[in-house]
Every structure is written in structure tokens, then in C-alpha cells.
Amino acid sequence: MKTDPDSHKRMTQRHKEGFEKKKAAAQLEKGLLIVNTGTGKGKSSAAFGMGMRILGHGMKLGVVQFIKGALYSAERDFLGSHANCDFHVVGAGYTWDTQDREADMRTAARGWAEALRMINDPSYDMVILDELNIVLKYQYLDLEEVLRVFAGRREMLHIVVTGRHAPEALIEQADLVSEMRPVKHPYKEQGVKAQKGVEF
Amino acid sequence: MKTDPDSHKRMTQRHKEGFEKKKAAAQLEKGLLIVNTGTGKGKSSAAFGMGMRILGHGMKLGVVQFIKGALYSAERDFLGSHANCDFHVVGAGYTWDTQDREADMRTAARGWAEALRMINDPSYDMVILDELNIVLKYQYLDLEEVLRVFAGRREMLHIVVTGRHAPEALIEQADLVSEMRPVKHPYKEQGVKAQKGVEF
């Protein structure tokens, strides 16, 4: 394949200029409210990736995992064993396994108490609330209270919320929102079963 | 807030049944070709999350990072220090910093040689080709050769490809494709600058 080397140079130069311009225009430093939602894969992994970066910078990370599953256990082990990471798992399996709304609400409240403790403790730089969106969707917690606590957080604290079906009001309030969208999935389209390492 | 506990029970029961049915229908076990693309955040983190799960199962992981950036260095440190992980970083910063097409093609070829070695070595269970999509988009590698190698891989080998702008033909061939879509980004909309731990 032949390509004009000058055209490549112009293209890469344009990319670089666009990126530098955007970065230069962005001056404000503040803690971000980040939401990873959508029905695709990678919401929690992307959050845990940010968590690892926080730890890599010597900063302190808190994680509350609102729904415990077989999923992400390797990432949990990696993060949870780090001295600067406070990792709390609440709940006893997926809520649709327990089918007891009162019990699920108590479980969610325990998770929220841990979240409040971390959010109000100035030693934390980032708090990840894994699968909080599901808990909010089932209305196990009061959305208004959650949003009020997020809005009143310390200026430099990052909060990361994951889970499908993020409430509209949370998306409104968030600084950074990503949607993970499944384009093709082997369960549905090819009869391929859940694979070790990929799905669990 | 009041909710009918029976309606909750029915809803959770339906969720559970739908999930179990889909899982039961999926019987085939095989190595998957997985693509994480789109312009949103989390493509590489989601891939690295799968990599950690592979390591958590005592399986062997290979990673070729085709474009080295300040990004993901914490995840790289976490994975790279694991005995069962072979982590190769190729390239010297973003290609649009070098602006030398011939040099970039040689760099990509070195990365591809590492990828081929891992793909052909039966001790690897998963190979992550981080940012390969960008390299393919710039046509630094021959797409047809890459797809031929993927199609001819060992039956149980998982290959994970990340990067924006995945080629259509790769999406066609892939088993599992996720698109990370930015819904809201603080650079563009609020003048917020790149934050330690979130962006790098």
C-alpha cells in the first residue's frame, strides 16, 4: 500500500493540534462525578482501572461493591490487597436471587453507610460505588439523598458510579458519563457459553 | 416510597429466569475474538480487567501495547509484575508525536512480531492487543494478514483488541464487540482539565 508521507504528516499534525488545543482550554481542576453505564461490558473494569491509577499515584481509594457476584473477583483481589485501598463488598449475591425487598434495602443501606464514611473522610481521593445504579434503579436507596451527598462532596474527591440503567438525574449531575454498548454478544448470537477469564 | 413486594418478587424472578435461559442455551466453549472500540473511556481498562481474571484463574496472559502513553501505567504495573503475564510495550509515545510513517510502520511490525509469537505459543490463554485498532486505522499493518492470523488461531485462545475506529472487517469477524460511547466529557463541556488518577 502506498501513501503520501506528507498527507500522513498533515493528518497526525492535525490530530496533535486538536488534542493540545482541547487540553489547553481545559483549566479547571476538580473532583469529578463519573458514571459508567449501559448494557455492555467494561463498566466496572473501567472504574477499577481508574482506581488502579489512583493507587499508582500514591492516592487513597475506597470501593463499595453494592452487588457481589462471581464477577470481577480477580480485580477485587488485586485492588483489595493494596495498602491504600479500602474495599468493601456488601450484599449476598445478585438481588434477584434473594427476592426479599426488605432484606435488599437493608443491605443497600449498609453499603451506603460505608460510602458515606468514605465520602466524608478527607483521606480518600476517589470512591468507587460499583453497581450503585442497579441499587438506585430498584429504589433500594433514596436517589435524592444520594445526589445531595454527591453534590456536597469535598472539592477534590472523585466519585465513580457504575451499573446499567443510571438514573437520568444522576447523568444530569455527572461530569463524565460513558455508555458501554454491546455491539455483538456471543451468548445471544452464537450460543457460546460464558468463558473463564472473559465473563468471570 | 411504597412498593408492592409481590411485584418486586415477580420482577426479580423474571430477570433471573431470562438470564438462566440465555446461559443454558449457550453451550459452545471456544476462544473468543473480542473487540473494545468507540471513542469513550474504558476500552483498555475493560481488556485489562479480563486479563486480571485470566491471571486470577491461574491462566497465562500476553499483552502487546501498540501505543505507549502515560495512560494505563498503573494497570501496566499491576499486570506486568505478575509471573503469568508477558507484557510488551512497543512504540515511543503517540504516533502523532513522531510524524514519521516509515518509523511508525517498523514499530508496528515489531509489535505484531510479539503478537504472533504469543498467538502461536500454546502456553498463552489470552492475548490482549492494546490499541491495535489505531495501528490498523493508520494502515501500519496489513489488515488482511491480521484477520487471517486471528481466524487461524488455536481453538481455545482468546484475543482481545482495543482502540477506537475498529475496522468493519474486524467487527464482522469478532465474537464479542463492545462500543464505549462518551455521553458527557468534562474537557469538551466544562473546561475541566485532565485529572490525576482519572485520565492518567
Side-chain angles (χ1 to χ4, degrees):
Chain A
M1 179 199 64
K2 288 220 169 190
T3 317
D4 169 14
D6 282 344
S7 117
H8 174 256
K9 200 165 169 170
R10 281 194 303 275
M11 178 167 72
T12 55
Q13 183 61 34
R14 270 201 310 278
H15 277 197
K16 189 179 167 176
E17 279 167 6
F19 182 72
E20 298 293 340
K21 214 158 124 186
K22 256 183 233 158
K23 239 174 94 170
Q27 290 304 331
L28 189 61
E29 194 158 15
K30 66 164 190 169
L32 301 175
L33 176 58
I34 299 166
V35 177
N36 291 348
T37 192
T39 57
K41 291 168 69 65
K43 297 180 286 293
S44 296
S45 290
F48 291 160
M50 282 189 238
M52 278 183 240
R53 273 168 248 156
I54 285 286
L55 295 175
H57 286 294
M59 297 160 86
K60 183 160 176 182
L61 173 69
V63 181
V64 179
Q65 197 167 30
F66 278 88
I67 298 178
K68 180 192 167 187
L71 296 168
Y72 322 126
S73 59
E75 285 154 294
R76 193 165 61 221
D77 292 346
F78 266 87
L79 286 174
S81 63
H82 196 288
N84 259 350
C85 178
D86 184 1
F87 202 118
H88 274 266
V89 182
V90 288
Y94 285 102
T95 55
W96 47 84
D97 277 327
T98 66
Q99 301 197 18
D100 178 343
R101 183 169 175 84
E102 294 304 316
D104 284 352
M105 289 182 81
R106 282 193 301 273
T107 305
R110 279 202 307 276
W112 183 240
E114 290 293 339
L116 279 176
R117 181 182 58 75
M118 294 172 180
I119 289 168
N120 292 324
D121 176 343
S123 70
Y124 289 85
D125 297 293
M126 177 181 281
V127 176
I128 297 175
L129 304 176
D130 188 48
E131 301 289 9
L132 178 68
N133 287 337
I134 306 289
V135 172
L136 291 172
K137 154 120 179 136
Y138 276 76
Q139 300 179 300
Y140 290 165
L141 292 174
D142 180 30
L143 177 61
E144 280 185 33
E145 192 208 327
V146 169
L147 295 181
R148 201 163 47 235
V149 167
F150 288 173
R153 74 188 186 279
R154 286 168 287 126
E155 201 185 339
M156 286 311 300
L157 177 69
H158 301 298
I159 295 180
V160 188
V161 177
T162 78
R164 37 178 87 188
H165 308 305
E168 260 317 308
L170 174 61
I171 290 177
E172 278 290 308
Q173 190 173 318
D175 299 297
L176 172 60
V177 181
S178 301
E179 183 196 349
M180 278 61 174
R181 212 169 65 82
V183 175
K184 215 183 204 181
H185 196 292
Y187 278 9
K188 291 177 197 153
E189 291 164 31
Q190 305 165 61
V192 172
K193 76 179 195 183
Q195 308 278 308
K196 200 156 78 169
V198 175
E199 303 279 347
F200 60 94
Chain B
M1 179 199 62
K2 288 220 169 191
T3 316
D4 169 15
D6 282 343
S7 115
H8 174 257
K9 200 164 169 171
R10 281 195 303 275
M11 178 166 73
T12 55
Q13 184 60 34
R14 270 202 311 279
H15 276 197
K16 190 180 167 176
E17 280 166 5
F19 181 72
E20 298 293 339
K21 213 158 123 186
K22 256 183 232 158
K23 239 175 95 169
Q27 290 304 332
L28 189 61
E29 195 158 15
K30 66 164 190 170
L32 301 175
L33 177 58
I34 299 167
V35 176
N36 292 348
T37 192
T39 56
K41 292 169 68 66
K43 297 180 287 293
S44 296
S45 290
F48 292 160
M50 281 189 241
M52 278 183 239
R53 273 168 248 156
I54 285 286
L55 295 174
H57 286 294
M59 298 160 86
K60 184 161 177 182
L61 173 69
V63 181
V64 179
Q65 197 167 30
F66 277 89
I67 299 177
K68 181 192 168 187
L71 295 169
Y72 321 125
S73 59
E75 285 153 295
R76 193 165 59 221
D77 292 347
F78 265 87
L79 287 174
S81 63
H82 196 287
N84 260 351
C85 179
D86 184 3
F87 202 117
H88 274 266
V89 182
V90 288
Y94 286 101
T95 53
W96 49 83
D97 277 326
T98 66
Q99 300 196 19
D100 178 343
R101 183 170 175 83
E102 293 304 317
D104 284 352
M105 288 181 82
R106 281 193 302 272
T107 305
R110 278 202 308 276
W112 183 241
E114 290 293 339
L116 279 176
R117 181 182 57 74
M118 294 172 179
I119 289 169
N120 292 324
D121 176 343
S123 70
Y124 288 85
D125 297 292
M126 178 182 280
V127 175
I128 297 176
L129 305 176
D130 188 48
E131 300 289 9
L132 179 67
N133 287 337
I134 306 290
V135 171
L136 291 172
K137 153 118 180 142
Y138 276 77
Q139 299 178 301
Y140 290 166
L141 292 174
D142 180 30
L143 177 61
E144 280 185 34
E145 192 207 327
V146 168
L147 294 181
R148 201 164 47 236
V149 167
F150 287 173
R153 74 187 185 278
R154 285 169 287 126
E155 201 185 341
M156 286 311 299
L157 177 69
H158 300 298
I159 295 181
V160 188
V161 177
T162 78
R164 37 179 87 188
H165 307 304
E168 260 317 306
L170 173 61
I171 290 177
E172 278 290 309
Q173 190 173 317
D175 299 297
L176 173 60
V177 181
S178 301
E179 183 197 349
M180 277 62 173
R181 211 170 66 81
V183 175
K184 215 182 203 182
H185 196 292
Y187 278 9
K188 291 177 197 155
E189 291 163 31
Q190 304 165 61
V192 172
K193 75 180 195 182
Q195 307 277 307
K196 200 156 79 169
V198 176
E199 304 279 347
F200 60 93

